[in-house]
Amino acid sequence: MRFEHPDILWLLLVVVPALLAFFWWAGRERQRLVAQFIEARLLPELTVGVSAARQKLRVILLTTAVALLVIALARPQVGFHWEETKLRGLDVVVAIDTSKSMLATDLNPNRLARAKLAALELMQVAQSDRLGLVAFAGGAFLQCPLTADDTAFRQSVEALDVNIIPQGGTAIAEAINITSTAFKEGDSHRVLVLFSDGEDNDEGALAAARAAAQDGLKIFTVGFGTPEGELLNPGLVRDAQGSVVKSRLNETLLRELAETTGGFYLPLRGAKTIDNLYAQGLAALPKTEQSAKLMKRWHERYHWPLGAAIALLLVGILLPERRAPSRQVDMKAKKHAGSETGAPTARAMLLAFLLLLPVASASASPRSAAKDYRAGKFTAALAEYEKLIAQDKQGDLRLQFNAGAAAYGATNYDAAIRHYTAVLPARDVKLQQAAYYNIGNALFRQGQAAKDLDGMQEQWEAAIKYYQNAVTLDKTDADAAYNLAFTKQCVQQIVALREAARRAREAADSATRQRRYHEALEIIQQVLQNNPAAKQFEDFAKKLKDIDDIVTPKTQQPQ
């Protein structure tokens, strides 16, 4: 496996940490903004159902997708095959001077090293051309025949040094002649690129160039060195008299050689010399079809990380932050208010989703709590729901509602009211409406158990307010409408009972003063008949009956 653009992979060290930092900052900023506009006590209710684990999973998915996109941009390639390709290009022979004068250091590090680098640079520019290599000093030979194999040409260039040709001197003419033999008969466009300092010990260079021009060879020369020259290493290079040798660039000879064949001369100056050589000279020459070249074709596999990135992006975008709402059981009352007992009954609601929650502990679980509730073990169910509420970190209001239902079933109306009241801020209108309804039921039951008429009336009037809210939230709820009307009727009966009691008291007082105790008893019994608050007057009625039994003689039945 390889990457066409491996440098792009460095982006992973920047993009991934930057993206994670951005998501962290965005989360903190969102919390800050929410805290500015929403009271802290309301946050658990407004965020009910929001899954922190899903939010983290979305960040991981999006970050991984971006990392895969970067990998796709780097173009991963796995496997390859060899492909035969027909090339259209030039046949170019590069002749490099390897004489000891090329060791001069007027070019850094020396002339020969720079010539070798220039040859490799030409190889990079001439991608569709065949290249050959001729090394020359006092003699010349073909170092590398014309080839489209860049590796072979590179190895031949790198093997050059001043000792590759034992014979000293610079024989440019022989280099031109050897170059001519490197081309096949019929090659229409022949090019020689000569890298040298121009110090020729053989005077036949210009004649050889004229002869080569007649055979169709174009020569382009590149000069290495400076006209001022440079002393060669005194310890290594000396002339016949033992004096040190100073080598100078012979631009005149190099220019004449190039112009004789229709080419041109360039001194090696700056980084664009080879580019200018190819663009101004070689690129303009007509290309010919050459022999086929085997080229390694790598198999592109960028679509693997790209496809995975797209899939992760879609999952991250479509993944909801909130859990799907769970199905809940019917919230209708088990029976209408004012049934056999003449009073509203609680609306029982157990949420089926609780059965799917993980077990919170060995002693409290949604499954066992629901089982106890269905079995009528309301006190045990209430205890388990309250444990679940204490362990709940999300503030799930449905647990509160179920605890209220269990408390109501256990006749613990104070606890039922407390749990139902905790449900009132719920965003689920249906759940909120049921809480109002059941608080009204619990208050009605408390009113029934009141010790006096004042307590009874206070509880029932409070129940009316909650029933009214339940009806407002759901005008189609027949149970809430019935209980509201029934409770209002009961309060009206209490008011009427108070008025009747006042009048009865006056009449009873009058009858008592006149010692008409039986008449007083009949008045009280008539007022209390079919009245839900009758038990409040049972003691008074019993006393009147006792008095009446004493003072009113019974009629003896005939024998």
Side-chain angles (χ1 to χ4, degrees):
M1 179 177 178
R2 64 185 291 272
F3 292 92
E4 182 68 20
H5 306 294
D7 293 343
I8 293 179
L9 296 177
W10 288 103
L11 290 176
L12 292 173
L13 300 179
V14 178
V15 173
V16 173
L19 198 58
L20 291 175
F22 169 76
F23 282 126
W24 176 83
W25 171 84
R28 295 290 298 271
E29 188 68 10
R30 179 169 56 182
Q31 292 177 355
R32 184 184 66 82
L33 293 175
V34 168
Q36 286 183 350
F37 295 100
I38 301 175
E39 294 185 17
R41 64 183 181 83
L42 297 178
L43 283 177
E45 315 305 332
L46 295 178
T47 58
V48 63
V50 175
S51 174
R54 291 192 179 190
Q55 291 178 334
K56 294 179 181 178
L57 178 59
R58 173 177 287 182
V59 169
I60 294 173
L61 290 175
L62 295 179
T63 304
T64 305
V66 172
L68 289 173
L69 287 176
V70 172
I71 294 175
L73 287 174
R75 289 178 58 188
Q77 299 170 336
V78 178
F80 63 88
H81 68 276
W82 292 99
E83 182 177 295
E84 190 176 66
T85 305
K86 290 286 186 180
L87 300 177
R88 288 185 60 84
L90 300 172
D91 284 340
V92 180
V93 173
V94 180
I96 298 180
D97 186 354
T98 61
S99 63
K100 288 183 170 56
S101 64
M102 294 293 285
L103 294 176
T105 57
D106 47 1
L107 294 180
N108 190 31
N110 58 53
R111 297 174 184 175
L112 180 58
R114 292 295 297 274
K116 292 165 65 174
L117 291 175
L120 295 178
E121 185 178 349
L122 179 61
M123 179 189 72
Q124 297 296 328
V125 176
Q127 288 290 330
S128 62
D129 301 330
R130 292 193 305 173
L131 298 179
L133 179 64
V134 170
F136 69 96
F141 74 95
L142 186 63
Q143 174 81 356
C144 176
L146 288 169
T147 180
D149 187 349
D150 292 344
T151 302
F153 182 80
R154 178 188 296 275
Q155 292 175 347
S156 298
V157 170
E158 291 174 348
L160 295 179
D161 59 38
V162 294
N163 298 317
I164 196 168
I165 297 177
Q167 184 178 358
T170 304
I172 296 179
E174 189 172 349
I176 296 174
N177 294 332
I178 292 295
T179 298
S180 298
T181 63
F183 298 101
K184 295 180 180 179
E185 291 294 333
D187 289 346
S188 56
H189 301 97
R190 305 177 179 185
V191 177
L192 169 62
V193 178
L194 184 68
F195 292 164
S196 176
D197 54 17
E199 288 192 334
D200 186 21
N201 302 114
D202 184 0
E203 297 180 356
L206 287 176
R210 294 188 189 97
Q214 293 177 358
D215 292 335
L217 180 66
K218 281 186 176 291
I219 300 177
F220 297 88
T221 56
V222 179
F224 288 80
T226 60
E228 296 78 14
E230 179 72 18
L231 291 174
L232 300 182
N233 191 329
L236 296 177
V237 182
R238 293 177 178 269
D239 60 12
Q241 291 74 30
S243 302
V244 294
V245 176
K246 187 173 187 179
S247 175
R248 294 178 176 84
L249 173 63
N250 188 353
E251 292 186 294
T252 301
L253 176 61
L254 294 176
R255 184 175 289 107
E256 289 178 353
L257 287 173
E259 293 175 352
T260 298
T261 61
F264 57 78
Y265 162 75
L266 287 176
L268 185 70
R269 299 287 186 270
K272 296 294 184 180
T273 302
I274 301 301
D275 290 336
N276 294 335
L277 170 67
Y278 195 88
Q280 298 173 18
L282 278 64
L285 298 176
K287 305 291 192 296
T288 57
E289 186 172 301
Q290 300 172 352
S291 60
K293 176 181 180 180
L294 287 177
M295 299 189 67
K296 183 184 291 186
R297 298 294 185 186
W298 287 89
H299 301 157
E300 296 286 351
R301 294 292 182 262
Y302 66 88
H303 50 275
W304 291 352
L306 180 60
I310 293 175
L312 292 179
L313 284 174
L314 290 176
V315 173
I317 293 173
L318 298 178
L319 180 69
E321 291 187 354
R322 295 181 180 275
R323 294 184 294 268
S326 302
R327 184 178 62 86
Q328 55 193 47
V329 302
D330 188 10
M331 293 168 53
K332 301 301 291 180
K334 291 183 178 179
K335 48 185 172 178
H336 288 301
S339 58
E340 295 178 359
T341 61
T345 57
R347 174 176 296 168
M349 186 185 80
L350 286 178
L351 302 178
F353 93 102
L354 292 176
L355 300 178
L356 305 178
L357 290 176
V359 176
S361 67
S363 60
S365 70
R367 188 182 300 275
S368 61
K371 183 178 179 181
D372 287 342
Y373 184 91
R374 288 192 295 269
K377 300 177 182 179
F378 300 116
T379 301
L382 173 61
E384 293 200 53
Y385 279 126
E386 288 182 338
K387 289 181 181 179
L388 291 171
I389 291 170
Q391 297 167 359
D392 181 35
K393 303 301 183 182
Q394 301 295 328
D396 197 329
L397 298 182
R398 292 169 291 188
L399 287 174
Q400 294 281 3
F401 191 97
N402 288 352
Y408 188 94
T411 67
N412 187 348
Y413 300 120
D414 288 333
I417 292 173
R418 183 177 71 254
H419 288 297
Y420 284 136
T421 302
V423 181
L424 295 181
R427 290 184 299 170
D428 186 344
V429 176
K430 191 174 182 181
L431 187 64
Q432 187 184 41
Q433 189 267 351
Y436 275 117
Y437 175 88
N438 283 342
I439 292 175
N441 289 342
L443 289 171
F444 187 93
R445 292 297 187 185
Q446 285 186 331
Q448 282 186 311
K451 296 181 179 180
D452 53 43
L453 286 178
D454 291 337
M456 182 181 294
Q457 183 175 357
E458 180 181 358
Q459 294 295 328
W460 286 354
E461 287 178 345
I464 288 174
K465 295 180 181 179
Y466 283 93
Y467 285 136
Q468 185 62 60
N469 289 336
V471 171
T472 301
L473 290 176
D474 185 3
K475 293 181 172 57
T476 64
D477 190 344
D479 293 341
Y482 182 93
N483 288 3
L484 174 62
F486 182 84
T487 308
K488 285 182 177 179
Q489 182 182 357
C490 290
V491 172
Q492 291 173 358
Q493 289 178 355
I494 291 177
V495 174
L497 181 59
R498 289 181 184 279
E499 180 62 23
R502 185 183 66 80
R503 293 178 181 178
R505 175 129 184 190
E506 292 178 356
D509 287 344
S510 176
T512 301
R513 285 194 297 270
Q514 299 174 16
R515 298 191 176 185
R516 298 196 302 272
Y517 299 110
H518 186 73
E519 182 181 349
L521 177 61
E522 289 179 349
I523 293 172
I524 292 298
Q525 288 178 340
Q526 183 178 4
V527 172
L528 299 182
Q529 187 176 4
N530 297 326
N531 194 299
K535 64 180 182 179
Q536 302 291 328
F537 296 89
E538 288 178 355
D539 292 341
F540 182 63
K542 184 177 181 181
K543 290 178 181 180
L544 282 176
K545 188 176 185 305
D546 291 342
I547 295 173
D548 181 57
D549 288 342
I550 295 173
V551 301
T552 303
K554 296 182 179 178
T555 303
Q556 186 174 5
Q557 298 295 330
Q559 301 263 328

Short mmCIF file of all heavy atoms in Angstrom, two decimals, residues 315-367:
data_model
loop_
_atom_site.label_atom_id
_atom_site.label_comp_id
_atom_site.label_asym_id
_atom_site.label_seq_id
_atom_site.Cartn_x
_atom_site.Cartn_y
_atom_site.Cartn_z
N VAL A 315 -24.73 8.71 9.08
CA VAL A 315 -25.14 8.19 10.39
C VAL A 315 -25.09 9.28 11.44
O VAL A 315 -26.00 9.43 12.26
CB VAL A 315 -24.26 6.99 10.79
CG1 VAL A 315 -24.57 6.55 12.21
CG2 VAL A 315 -24.48 5.83 9.84
N GLY A 316 -24.01 10.09 11.43
CA GLY A 316 -23.89 11.16 12.40
C GLY A 316 -24.97 12.21 12.26
O GLY A 316 -25.45 12.77 13.25
N ILE A 317 -25.37 12.50 11.00
CA ILE A 317 -26.41 13.51 10.77
C ILE A 317 -27.78 12.98 11.17
O ILE A 317 -28.60 13.70 11.77
CB ILE A 317 -26.39 13.96 9.30
CG1 ILE A 317 -25.09 14.73 9.00
CG2 ILE A 317 -27.59 14.84 8.98
CD1 ILE A 317 -24.90 15.04 7.55
N LEU A 318 -28.06 11.72 10.82
CA LEU A 318 -29.39 11.16 11.06
C LEU A 318 -29.56 10.63 12.48
O LEU A 318 -30.70 10.39 12.90
CB LEU A 318 -29.65 10.02 10.06
CG LEU A 318 -29.65 10.44 8.58
CD1 LEU A 318 -29.87 9.22 7.69
CD2 LEU A 318 -30.74 11.47 8.32
N LEU A 319 -28.48 10.42 13.20
CA LEU A 319 -28.59 9.89 14.56
C LEU A 319 -29.23 10.92 15.48
O LEU A 319 -28.67 12.00 15.69
CB LEU A 319 -27.20 9.51 15.10
CG LEU A 319 -27.18 8.94 16.53
CD1 LEU A 319 -27.83 7.56 16.56
CD2 LEU A 319 -25.74 8.84 17.04
N PRO A 320 -30.42 10.64 16.05
CA PRO A 320 -31.06 11.63 16.93
C PRO A 320 -30.37 11.69 18.29
O PRO A 320 -29.86 10.69 18.77
CB PRO A 320 -32.49 11.10 17.05
CG PRO A 320 -32.36 9.62 16.84
CD PRO A 320 -31.22 9.43 15.87
N GLU A 321 -30.37 12.88 18.87
CA GLU A 321 -29.79 13.04 20.20
C GLU A 321 -30.73 12.54 21.28
O GLU A 321 -30.29 12.23 22.39
CB GLU A 321 -29.44 14.51 20.46
CG GLU A 321 -28.29 15.03 19.62
CD GLU A 321 -27.89 16.43 20.03
OE1 GLU A 321 -28.58 17.01 20.88
OE2 GLU A 321 -26.88 16.93 19.51
N ARG A 322 -32.01 12.47 20.97
CA ARG A 322 -32.99 12.02 21.96
C ARG A 322 -33.38 10.57 21.68
O ARG A 322 -33.46 10.14 20.54
CB ARG A 322 -34.26 12.90 21.91
CG ARG A 322 -33.99 14.34 22.31
CD ARG A 322 -35.29 15.14 22.26
NE ARG A 322 -35.06 16.52 22.62
CZ ARG A 322 -35.05 16.96 23.86
NH1 ARG A 322 -35.29 16.13 24.84
NH2 ARG A 322 -34.81 18.22 24.13
N ARG A 323 -33.62 9.86 22.77
CA ARG A 323 -34.14 8.50 22.63
C ARG A 323 -35.57 8.54 22.12
O ARG A 323 -36.32 9.46 22.42
CB ARG A 323 -34.09 7.78 23.98
CG ARG A 323 -32.69 7.53 24.51
CD ARG A 323 -32.76 6.74 25.80
NE ARG A 323 -33.39 7.50 26.86
CZ ARG A 323 -32.74 8.24 27.72
NH1 ARG A 323 -31.43 8.32 27.65
NH2 ARG A 323 -33.37 8.91 28.66
N ALA A 324 -35.93 7.53 21.35
CA ALA A 324 -37.29 7.46 20.84
C ALA A 324 -38.28 7.30 21.99
O ALA A 324 -38.02 6.56 22.94
CB ALA A 324 -37.43 6.28 19.88
N PRO A 325 -39.40 8.02 21.96
CA PRO A 325 -40.38 7.92 23.06
C PRO A 325 -40.92 6.49 23.15
O PRO A 325 -41.23 5.86 22.15
CB PRO A 325 -41.48 8.90 22.64
CG PRO A 325 -41.33 9.06 21.18
CD PRO A 325 -39.87 8.91 20.89
N SER A 326 -41.00 6.00 24.37
CA SER A 326 -41.46 4.64 24.60
C SER A 326 -42.97 4.57 24.60
O SER A 326 -43.65 5.51 24.99
CB SER A 326 -40.92 4.12 25.93
OG SER A 326 -39.52 4.18 25.94
N ARG A 327 -43.50 3.42 24.20
CA ARG A 327 -44.94 3.23 24.21
C ARG A 327 -45.42 3.11 25.64
O ARG A 327 -44.81 2.47 26.48
CB ARG A 327 -45.28 1.95 23.44
CG ARG A 327 -46.77 1.70 23.32
CD ARG A 327 -46.99 0.44 22.50
NE ARG A 327 -46.39 -0.71 23.18
CZ ARG A 327 -47.01 -1.41 24.10
NH1 ARG A 327 -48.23 -1.09 24.48
NH2 ARG A 327 -46.41 -2.45 24.65
N GLN A 328 -46.51 3.75 25.97
CA GLN A 328 -47.04 3.71 27.32
C GLN A 328 -48.45 3.14 27.31
O GLN A 328 -49.15 3.18 26.32
CB GLN A 328 -47.02 5.09 27.96
CG GLN A 328 -47.75 6.15 27.16
CD GLN A 328 -47.45 7.53 27.67
OE1 GLN A 328 -46.30 7.87 27.91
NE2 GLN A 328 -48.47 8.32 27.84
N VAL A 329 -48.86 2.62 28.46
CA VAL A 329 -50.16 1.98 28.54
C VAL A 329 -51.25 3.02 28.52
O VAL A 329 -51.01 4.21 28.66
CB VAL A 329 -50.26 1.13 29.82
CG1 VAL A 329 -49.16 0.10 29.87
CG2 VAL A 329 -50.20 2.02 31.05
N ASP A 330 -52.49 2.56 28.35
CA ASP A 330 -53.63 3.46 28.27
C ASP A 330 -53.75 4.25 29.56
O ASP A 330 -53.63 3.72 30.66
CB ASP A 330 -54.90 2.64 28.05
CG ASP A 330 -56.10 3.53 27.77
OD1 ASP A 330 -55.86 4.73 27.58
OD2 ASP A 330 -57.22 3.00 27.75
N MET A 331 -53.99 5.54 29.44
CA MET A 331 -54.04 6.43 30.59
C MET A 331 -55.48 6.72 31.01
O MET A 331 -55.74 7.62 31.79
CB MET A 331 -53.32 7.74 30.28
CG MET A 331 -51.83 7.54 30.11
SD MET A 331 -50.99 8.96 29.41
CE MET A 331 -51.55 10.23 30.52
N LYS A 332 -56.46 6.02 30.48
CA LYS A 332 -57.84 6.25 30.86
C LYS A 332 -58.08 5.72 32.27
O LYS A 332 -57.45 4.77 32.73
CB LYS A 332 -58.79 5.55 29.90
CG LYS A 332 -58.65 6.01 28.45
CD LYS A 332 -58.89 7.48 28.28
CE LYS A 332 -60.33 7.82 28.50
NZ LYS A 332 -60.61 9.26 28.35
N ALA A 333 -58.97 6.31 32.97
CA ALA A 333 -59.28 5.88 34.33
C ALA A 333 -59.89 4.49 34.31
O ALA A 333 -60.54 4.09 33.36
CB ALA A 333 -60.25 6.85 34.97
N LYS A 334 -59.67 3.77 35.39
CA LYS A 334 -60.23 2.43 35.46
C LYS A 334 -61.75 2.48 35.53
O LYS A 334 -62.43 1.59 35.05
CB LYS A 334 -59.67 1.69 36.67
CG LYS A 334 -58.19 1.35 36.50
CD LYS A 334 -57.69 0.56 37.68
CE LYS A 334 -56.23 0.19 37.47
NZ LYS A 334 -55.69 -0.56 38.60
N LYS A 335 -62.31 3.51 36.17
CA LYS A 335 -63.75 3.69 36.15
C LYS A 335 -64.07 5.14 36.36
O LYS A 335 -63.27 5.90 36.89
CB LYS A 335 -64.43 2.83 37.21
CG LYS A 335 -63.81 2.89 38.60
CD LYS A 335 -64.51 1.91 39.51
CE LYS A 335 -63.81 1.78 40.85
NZ LYS A 335 -64.50 0.85 41.75
N HIS A 336 -65.26 5.54 35.92
CA HIS A 336 -65.63 6.94 35.99
C HIS A 336 -65.83 7.38 37.42
O HIS A 336 -66.17 6.61 38.30
CB HIS A 336 -66.93 7.18 35.21
CG HIS A 336 -66.73 7.09 33.73
ND1 HIS A 336 -65.86 7.88 33.06
CD2 HIS A 336 -67.30 6.26 32.81
CE1 HIS A 336 -65.90 7.59 31.77
NE2 HIS A 336 -66.75 6.59 31.60
N ALA A 337 -65.62 8.69 37.63
CA ALA A 337 -65.92 9.26 38.95
C ALA A 337 -67.40 9.13 39.23
O ALA A 337 -68.24 9.13 38.36
CB ALA A 337 -65.49 10.71 38.97
N GLY A 338 -67.68 9.09 40.51
CA GLY A 338 -69.07 9.01 40.92
C GLY A 338 -69.68 7.66 40.66
O GLY A 338 -70.87 7.55 40.37
N SER A 339 -68.88 6.63 40.75
CA SER A 339 -69.40 5.29 40.54
C SER A 339 -70.02 4.78 41.82
O SER A 339 -70.66 5.52 42.54
CB SER A 339 -68.28 4.39 40.05
OG SER A 339 -67.24 4.37 40.97
N GLU A 340 -69.75 3.55 42.15
CA GLU A 340 -70.42 2.96 43.31
C GLU A 340 -70.08 3.69 44.58
O GLU A 340 -70.90 3.81 45.47
CB GLU A 340 -70.01 1.49 43.45
CG GLU A 340 -70.49 0.63 42.27
CD GLU A 340 -70.03 -0.78 42.40
OE1 GLU A 340 -69.33 -1.07 43.38
OE2 GLU A 340 -70.35 -1.60 41.54
N THR A 341 -68.86 4.19 44.70
CA THR A 341 -68.47 4.89 45.93
C THR A 341 -68.87 6.33 45.90
O THR A 341 -68.73 7.03 46.89
CB THR A 341 -66.95 4.79 46.11
OG1 THR A 341 -66.33 5.42 45.00
CG2 THR A 341 -66.49 3.35 46.18
N GLY A 342 -69.34 6.82 44.75
CA GLY A 342 -69.74 8.21 44.66
C GLY A 342 -68.57 9.15 44.68
O GLY A 342 -68.71 10.30 45.08
N ALA A 343 -67.37 8.72 44.28
CA ALA A 343 -66.19 9.58 44.31
C ALA A 343 -65.28 9.24 43.15
O ALA A 343 -65.30 8.13 42.64
CB ALA A 343 -65.45 9.41 45.63
N PRO A 344 -64.42 10.20 42.69
CA PRO A 344 -63.49 9.94 41.60
C PRO A 344 -62.48 8.88 41.98
O PRO A 344 -62.12 8.73 43.14
CB PRO A 344 -62.81 11.29 41.38
CG PRO A 344 -63.71 12.29 42.03
CD PRO A 344 -64.39 11.59 43.14
N THR A 345 -62.01 8.14 40.98
CA THR A 345 -60.95 7.15 41.20
C THR A 345 -59.71 7.56 40.44
O THR A 345 -59.79 8.25 39.43
CB THR A 345 -61.39 5.76 40.72
OG1 THR A 345 -61.75 5.84 39.36
CG2 THR A 345 -62.59 5.27 41.51
N ALA A 346 -58.54 7.12 40.91
CA ALA A 346 -57.28 7.54 40.29
C ALA A 346 -57.12 6.91 38.92
O ALA A 346 -57.56 5.80 38.67
CB ALA A 346 -56.10 7.12 41.17
N ARG A 347 -56.47 7.64 38.05
CA ARG A 347 -56.16 7.14 36.72
C ARG A 347 -54.81 6.44 36.79
O ARG A 347 -53.78 7.07 36.98
CB ARG A 347 -56.11 8.29 35.73
CG ARG A 347 -55.67 7.90 34.35
CD ARG A 347 -55.75 9.08 33.43
NE ARG A 347 -57.15 9.49 33.29
CZ ARG A 347 -57.52 10.64 32.72
NH1 ARG A 347 -56.61 11.46 32.29
NH2 ARG A 347 -58.78 10.96 32.61
N ALA A 348 -54.79 5.13 36.68
CA ALA A 348 -53.55 4.38 36.83
C ALA A 348 -52.79 4.40 35.52
O ALA A 348 -53.36 4.18 34.47
CB ALA A 348 -53.85 2.94 37.23
N MET A 349 -51.48 4.69 35.57
CA MET A 349 -50.65 4.70 34.36
C MET A 349 -49.29 4.14 34.69
O MET A 349 -48.54 4.73 35.45
CB MET A 349 -50.50 6.09 33.79
CG MET A 349 -49.76 6.08 32.45
SD MET A 349 -49.44 7.70 31.82
CE MET A 349 -48.00 8.11 32.81
N LEU A 350 -48.96 2.99 34.13
CA LEU A 350 -47.61 2.44 34.22
C LEU A 350 -47.01 2.50 32.83
O LEU A 350 -47.65 2.11 31.86
CB LEU A 350 -47.64 1.00 34.72
CG LEU A 350 -47.94 0.84 36.21
CD1 LEU A 350 -48.00 -0.63 36.54
CD2 LEU A 350 -46.91 1.53 37.06
N LEU A 351 -45.79 2.98 32.73
CA LEU A 351 -45.16 3.16 31.43
C LEU A 351 -44.43 1.89 31.03
O LEU A 351 -43.56 1.40 31.74
CB LEU A 351 -44.19 4.33 31.49
CG LEU A 351 -44.86 5.64 31.92
CD1 LEU A 351 -43.82 6.73 31.99
CD2 LEU A 351 -45.96 6.02 30.96
N ALA A 352 -44.79 1.38 29.86
CA ALA A 352 -44.21 0.11 29.41
C ALA A 352 -42.70 0.22 29.19
O ALA A 352 -41.99 -0.75 29.27
CB ALA A 352 -44.87 -0.34 28.12
N PHE A 353 -42.22 1.44 28.90
CA PHE A 353 -40.79 1.56 28.61
C PHE A 353 -39.93 1.20 29.81
O PHE A 353 -38.78 0.83 29.68
CB PHE A 353 -40.46 2.99 28.18
CG PHE A 353 -40.01 3.88 29.30
CD1 PHE A 353 -38.67 4.17 29.48
CD2 PHE A 353 -40.91 4.40 30.20
CE1 PHE A 353 -38.25 4.98 30.50
CE2 PHE A 353 -40.49 5.21 31.22
CZ PHE A 353 -39.16 5.51 31.38
N LEU A 354 -40.49 1.30 31.03
CA LEU A 354 -39.70 1.01 32.21
C LEU A 354 -39.26 -0.45 32.23
O LEU A 354 -38.26 -0.79 32.83
CB LEU A 354 -40.51 1.33 33.47
CG LEU A 354 -40.80 2.82 33.69
CD1 LEU A 354 -41.69 3.00 34.89
CD2 LEU A 354 -39.51 3.58 33.85
N LEU A 355 -40.01 -1.30 31.57
CA LEU A 355 -39.62 -2.70 31.54
C LEU A 355 -38.36 -2.91 30.73
O LEU A 355 -37.71 -3.94 30.84
CB LEU A 355 -40.77 -3.53 30.94
CG LEU A 355 -42.10 -3.47 31.72
CD1 LEU A 355 -43.14 -4.30 31.00
CD2 LEU A 355 -41.92 -3.95 33.14
N LEU A 356 -38.01 -1.93 29.89
CA LEU A 356 -36.83 -2.07 29.03
C LEU A 356 -35.59 -1.47 29.66
O LEU A 356 -34.51 -1.62 29.14
CB LEU A 356 -37.10 -1.41 27.69
CG LEU A 356 -38.35 -1.91 26.96
CD1 LEU A 356 -38.53 -1.13 25.66
CD2 LEU A 356 -38.26 -3.39 26.69
N LEU A 357 -35.76 -0.74 30.76
CA LEU A 357 -34.61 -0.11 31.38
C LEU A 357 -33.76 -1.15 32.08
O LEU A 357 -34.27 -2.18 32.54
CB LEU A 357 -35.07 0.94 32.41
CG LEU A 357 -35.72 2.20 31.82
CD1 LEU A 357 -36.20 3.08 32.94
CD2 LEU A 357 -34.75 2.94 30.93
N PRO A 358 -32.44 -0.91 32.18
CA PRO A 358 -31.58 -1.86 32.90
C PRO A 358 -31.91 -1.89 34.37
O PRO A 358 -32.43 -0.93 34.93
CB PRO A 358 -30.17 -1.30 32.64
CG PRO A 358 -30.38 0.12 32.35
CD PRO A 358 -31.71 0.22 31.65
N VAL A 359 -31.63 -3.03 34.99
CA VAL A 359 -31.90 -3.15 36.42
C VAL A 359 -31.01 -2.19 37.19
O VAL A 359 -29.81 -2.18 37.05
CB VAL A 359 -31.63 -4.60 36.88
CG1 VAL A 359 -31.82 -4.72 38.38
CG2 VAL A 359 -32.57 -5.55 36.14
N ALA A 360 -31.64 -1.35 38.02
CA ALA A 360 -30.88 -0.33 38.74
C ALA A 360 -30.11 -0.92 39.91
O ALA A 360 -29.02 -0.51 40.21
CB ALA A 360 -31.82 0.77 39.23
N SER A 361 -30.71 -1.86 40.58
CA SER A 361 -30.02 -2.49 41.69
C SER A 361 -30.70 -3.83 41.97
O SER A 361 -31.71 -4.16 41.37
CB SER A 361 -30.06 -1.59 42.94
OG SER A 361 -31.40 -1.50 43.42
N ALA A 362 -30.16 -4.53 42.95
CA ALA A 362 -30.71 -5.83 43.26
C ALA A 362 -32.07 -5.71 43.92
O ALA A 362 -32.88 -6.63 43.87
CB ALA A 362 -29.74 -6.60 44.16
N SER A 363 -32.37 -4.58 44.58
CA SER A 363 -33.60 -4.44 45.34
C SER A 363 -34.63 -3.57 44.66
O SER A 363 -35.75 -3.47 45.13
CB SER A 363 -33.27 -3.86 46.73
OG SER A 363 -32.66 -2.60 46.58
N ALA A 364 -34.30 -2.88 43.59
CA ALA A 364 -35.25 -1.99 42.93
C ALA A 364 -35.02 -2.04 41.43
O ALA A 364 -33.91 -1.82 40.97
CB ALA A 364 -35.11 -0.57 43.45
N SER A 365 -36.09 -2.36 40.71
CA SER A 365 -36.00 -2.37 39.26
C SER A 365 -37.36 -2.02 38.69
O SER A 365 -38.39 -2.28 39.31
CB SER A 365 -35.55 -3.75 38.76
OG SER A 365 -36.58 -4.69 38.95
N PRO A 366 -37.40 -1.39 37.51
CA PRO A 366 -38.69 -1.08 36.88
C PRO A 366 -39.56 -2.31 36.69
O PRO A 366 -40.78 -2.24 36.83
CB PRO A 366 -38.28 -0.45 35.56
CG PRO A 366 -36.90 0.05 35.78
CD PRO A 366 -36.26 -0.89 36.73
N ARG A 367 -38.92 -3.44 36.37
CA ARG A 367 -39.71 -4.65 36.12
C ARG A 367 -40.42 -5.12 37.39
O ARG A 367 -41.62 -5.43 37.37
CB ARG A 367 -38.79 -5.74 35.58
CG ARG A 367 -39.52 -6.99 35.10
CD ARG A 367 -38.51 -8.04 34.64
NE ARG A 367 -37.70 -7.53 33.56
CZ ARG A 367 -38.05 -7.56 32.29
NH1 ARG A 367 -39.22 -8.08 31.95
NH2 ARG A 367 -37.25 -7.09 31.36
#
